[in-house]
Amino acid sequence: MSFVQILEFDTNRVAEVESLMNEWRTQTEGTRYVRREVVAKHRDRPDHYVAIVEFSSYEDAQRNSRLPETDQFNAHMAKLCERPVEFSNYDVIRDKS
């Protein structure tokens, strides 16, 4: 069963967040477990964003979390946000295009 993690965060430094995300992708090429990621900006709440990160399984998400680059990413991300990043974990029960 696939798995998604949703990160909610507030930042007025979105360009730096985007750069950090790109850096993480480069550093983890060939070792990360992320299948897909989508980042969206809230229309009615300035500086509020969500990142929806898809994995093949919960176990792959845990492997991804244990990458040293992910730890570094999370530490830097915390400095770019107005409040702590909120993480929510979901098992996918329906996936249709």
Side-chain angles (χ1 to χ4, degrees):
M1 175 184 308
S2 62
F3 176 82
V4 294
Q5 188 168 62
I6 298 175
L7 292 71
E8 288 192 61
F9 57 97
D10 294 318
T11 186
N12 59 9
R13 299 166 69 180
V14 72
E16 292 174 76
V17 169
E18 181 77 20
S19 178
L20 180 64
M21 290 177 173
N22 290 337
E23 182 180 319
W24 179 86
R25 289 188 65 79
T26 299
Q27 291 173 345
T28 59
E29 184 66 40
T31 62
R32 69 177 170 270
Y33 293 87
V34 173
R35 274 195 347 200
R36 183 171 182 238
E37 64 181 91
V38 174
V39 178
K41 178 180 168 112
H42 199 290
R43 282 182 158 276
D44 303 317
R45 291 172 53 193
D47 300 331
H48 186 75
Y49 299 85
V50 296
I52 304 162
V53 185
E54 181 181 0
F55 301 89
S56 294
S57 65
Y58 173 77
E59 293 75 21
D60 278 353
Q62 294 304 300
R63 288 181 194 97
N64 197 76
S65 292
R66 289 191 294 267
L67 295 173
E69 296 88 354
T70 301
D71 280 340
Q72 294 168 1
F73 171 87
N74 288 334
H76 195 166
M77 181 76 170
K79 294 175 185 176
L80 298 175
C81 293
E82 308 299 314
R83 61 183 176 84
V85 177
E86 292 182 30
F87 293 85
S88 300
N89 301 306
Y90 295 88
D91 292 319
V92 175
I93 60 170
R94 183 177 169 96
D95 183 0
K96 300 289 181 190
S97 296

